Structure formats: structure tokens, C-alpha cells
Amino acid sequence: MEPNPNRKPKSAPVRKPRPAPAAKTSPSISAAAAGGERIQKLLARAGLGSRREIERWITDGKLLVNGNPVQLGYHLKPGDHLQINGRIVKWEKYAEQPTRVLVYHKPVGELVTRRDPEGRPVIFTQLPRLQVGRWIAVGRLDINTSGLILVTNNGELANRLMHPSREVEREYAVRILGEVDDAMLERLKQGVELDDGPAHFEDVSFYAGEGANKWFYATVKQGRNRLVRRLWESQGVKVSRLIRVRYGDVTLPERVRAHSFYELEAKELAALMEFVGL
């Protein structure tokens, strides 16, 4: 029996965003410039980097506006000339860019990368072209894992969904080859030691199946490499199929087949933005 990805999601924690660090005091453009949008917010939304990365660039003096170093919180205004590491950035095209989020169904065999030197298929060739900015994948799935990938043009949204401090839940349907008993499930929930430290499932439960192959649902709050597979393998069983069915409160709709996507509607997008504190 195949798992049903269109299940009602469990609640996931909502964390308030941390305040930005204080800016260094140095001869520069005033952060109190009237009007416009804060530079780190606009550039992060454009996908040029996370807000923290852009804040580091600012404190390191890598961003110039009209030839002068800029402070954290500076509001870009029409006519401002922006340079990042000496490269001119036409920031105006990002100013009115609406946030978009796609729910993409990645099949086995596709890579979550922009290009592959071996010529293997990548998810970004399956997505619609953006006139402004670029698509950013929220986390990764390895080549042998299928299921839900969130893709957005808002870099700050992507960063908040992925940041370890927010502990956003990821839920997977897992087909296991081998014997699984209640003691094993309890160990996986209590925690086991892996090569890169302790790990556990937030929740794991039997779904369906008989004989050697059985389906389970398993939930984690970390994005560590191959974490779900490694947790099961630590118990001497093999993962024969792995499908991500939920990220945070966003589930993979049953109607969205492999290689296809669904774009969040306004109400769904508003709920997701509220979930991460934007």
C-alpha cells in the first residue's frame, strides 16, 4: 500500500525572528535615510544571500551605495547606486518583486542543484522562468529520495525555513526492508549516536504493509545529510524507498505528480510567511 502524502500536518513550532545585530559605527551613509526599503531585507528577498550573509557583507564594507560604505538598516531609494564587491547591482528590479513559493514533486534521479557536470537532470529545469531574481530550493533531497521540495524567490523566507534554530519539521514516508519492533521505534525516538552526533525522530509510526516491506511515517527537525536513512540504518534495517511528504505545515498535494509543481495561493503564502515571522 502506498502512503498518502495528503495527510493533515501536525503543528510545527513558530519562532520569533531574532533582532539584527548592531551595526558598526564608522564613516558611512546614515541608516536613518528616509523612505525606501532596508537594504539587507531587499537583497535577501532577491535571493542574493541570506539576511545574515548580507549583514556580514555590510559590516565588512563590501557594500557601497553612491560610492560610500553603507550601514545596517539603510533604506535604498530611487537613484541609489549599489555595488557589492565592486560589482554594480541593479537593485531596483527587486524592489517590487512579489514573493512566490512552489511545491515541487521531485522524482528519484533528479538533483537539487542548478547544474550537474555529469549532465544528470536537475529540478530547476522543471520550474517556470523568473523575469527577476532566481529560484531558491528550501533544503535538499538526495538523488534517491523523492517528494516535496519547497522553492521560492524570497531568500529571507528560504533562510528562515532552513535555519537550524527554528527546528522546522520534515515528515517522510519510509519503506523499510527488515524487521521493525516497538523497541526499535522507541530507540529511534529516544535517540541514537550517529557519526556526526546524536539524533532522533520526533515521531515515528507504522503505516501499512506486510512481510519484509513495511511503510512508516517519520518526522525530524534537522536537515542533516541523509539523516532519515542513517537513523534507520543504525538499527540494521534498510530504507528501500523514501518520500518527503511535509515541510513545516506545507504538505505534498496528492494531485501533484512527479516532475510537476503547485504554486501556493495567497492565503497559503500568507500562512507560511506568518509561520516564519515575516
Side-chain angles (χ1 to χ4, degrees):
M1 182 184 294
E2 290 287 320
N4 174 18
N6 197 23
R7 303 193 311 163
K8 183 178 179 181
K10 297 177 181 179
S11 60
V14 178
R15 302 289 183 91
K16 294 182 179 180
R18 295 179 181 177
K24 293 180 179 178
T25 54
S26 58
S28 59
I29 295 173
S30 169
E37 185 173 15
R38 285 182 297 157
I39 188 168
Q40 61 263 40
K41 180 179 179 182
L42 186 150
L43 298 181
R45 195 182 70 237
L48 299 181
S50 71
R51 192 178 299 194
R52 292 194 177 192
E53 287 176 318
I54 294 163
E55 288 168 352
R56 285 197 298 270
W57 298 345
I58 292 172
T59 55
D60 291 343
K62 295 180 179 180
L63 269 69
L64 302 181
V65 173
N66 303 326
N68 299 307
V70 67
Q71 283 186 358
L72 290 169
Y74 176 76
H75 287 228
L76 284 165
K77 303 181 300 300
D80 279 346
H81 180 80
L82 173 65
Q83 291 176 279
I84 302 178
N85 280 331
R87 179 173 63 90
I88 297 173
V89 176
K90 301 292 185 181
W91 64 268
E92 291 91 348
K93 63 184 180 181
Y94 301 121
E96 299 301 326
Q97 179 185 359
T99 293
R100 298 177 64 187
V101 176
L102 308 181
V103 176
Y104 179 70
H105 188 162
K106 173 192 148 353
V108 170
E110 271 188 2
L111 296 172
V112 185
T113 186
R114 298 195 181 278
R115 58 186 62 86
D116 179 59
E118 299 179 27
R120 292 171 294 182
V122 300
I123 70 166
F124 291 98
T125 60
Q126 307 294 324
L127 305 179
R129 285 182 173 270
L130 287 172
Q131 296 299 315
V132 175
R134 62 174 184 164
W135 291 118
I136 304 161
V138 177
R140 291 177 177 269
L141 293 176
D142 65 47
I143 193 169
N144 295 315
T145 301
S146 62
L148 183 154
I149 283 277
L150 290 178
V151 187
T152 181
N153 63 340
N154 186 324
E156 178 63 15
L157 173 60
N159 182 60
R160 293 195 183 198
L161 286 167
M162 290 186 285
H163 201 282
S165 68
R166 295 186 176 273
E167 298 185 329
V168 177
E169 287 188 345
R170 293 92 155 153
E171 186 176 13
Y172 295 80
V174 194
R175 189 173 68 191
I176 298 299
L177 178 60
E179 291 299 322
V180 178
D181 57 23
D182 290 341
M184 181 188 297
L185 298 182
E186 188 60 29
R187 286 194 298 273
L188 288 169
K189 287 192 287 187
Q190 292 299 320
V192 298
E193 192 68 29
L194 302 178
D195 291 342
D196 55 351
H200 68 279
F201 287 134
E202 298 298 322
D203 187 44
V204 57
S205 59
F206 173 74
Y207 173 69
E210 296 179 355
N213 287 294
K214 296 183 177 66
W215 282 97
F216 293 82
Y217 279 104
T219 303
V220 294
K221 286 185 178 179
Q222 295 179 309
R224 287 154 61 180
N225 186 41
R226 299 182 71 254
L227 179 60
V228 175
R229 292 182 187 274
R230 291 189 293 133
L231 276 166
W232 283 107
E233 290 167 358
S234 74
Q235 303 303 300
V237 296
K238 181 180 179 181
V239 174
S240 60
R241 195 168 176 195
L242 184 61
I243 309 168
R244 184 154 71 194
V245 297
R246 178 170 64 88
Y247 197 110
D249 278 351
V250 180
T251 58
L252 180 64
E254 196 170 2
R255 67 182 182 277
V256 178
R257 302 302 182 185
H259 297 289
S260 62
F261 63 87
Y262 162 75
E263 183 162 1
L264 294 189
E265 298 174 353
K267 184 180 293 186
E268 298 167 314
L269 180 58
L272 182 62
M273 297 290 276
E274 183 180 2
F275 172 68
V276 298
L278 287 175

